[in-house]
Amino acid sequence: MISRISRAITMTLALSLMAFASIGHANTLEEEPSALAMTGDALIARPLLLVTTVVGSAVYLVSLPFSLLGGNAAEAGETLVVGPAKATFVRCLGCTTSGRKPEAIAQE
């Protein structure tokens, strides 16, 4: 009896979470950062992200033999190098998500 109730609650919770996740993906967010956000990004965040990219590249090179043996070299490269590099170089100034703004993509 208790396992049926527990299973029903679990299924209800799972279905509710899936419904809320689809609502969140339906709306695209347009970021319009303030001058303060752009200044902070240019003076603080980008230099730190550049250092993170360089350090991540060094760690990736040191760990490459082990990640090749483990079969996750691509995943390690994505996490240690590509992710920080995208956040450093392919993100609008002051934005919080990586990637280009839709207007920049449409113009190319």
Side-chain angles (χ1 to χ4, degrees):
M1 178 70 176
I2 293 177
S3 69
R4 282 188 174 182
I5 294 172
S6 175
R7 206 174 309 161
I9 291 172
T10 303
M11 287 297 290
T12 305
L13 180 64
L15 291 173
S16 299
L17 290 175
M18 284 191 284
F20 288 127
S22 64
I23 291 170
H25 288 291
N27 299 328
T28 57
L29 297 175
E30 294 287 331
E31 289 189 66
E32 297 202 17
S34 66
L36 181 63
M38 288 183 178
T39 303
D41 191 12
L43 296 177
I44 298 168
R46 297 293 170 113
L48 288 175
L49 285 167
L50 181 62
V51 169
T52 303
T53 303
V54 172
V55 170
S57 299
V59 170
Y60 175 70
L61 287 175
V62 169
S63 68
L64 186 59
F66 306 108
S67 59
L68 284 172
L69 289 172
N72 67 337
E75 182 182 344
E78 179 72 31
T79 302
L80 294 171
V81 181
V82 176
K86 278 185 180 178
T88 304
F89 299 111
V90 188
R91 181 171 54 90
C92 71
L93 196 61
C95 292
T96 57
T97 56
S98 292
R100 294 179 149 204
K101 291 188 100 172
E103 302 90 39
I105 295 171
Q107 291 175 358
E108 292 180 354

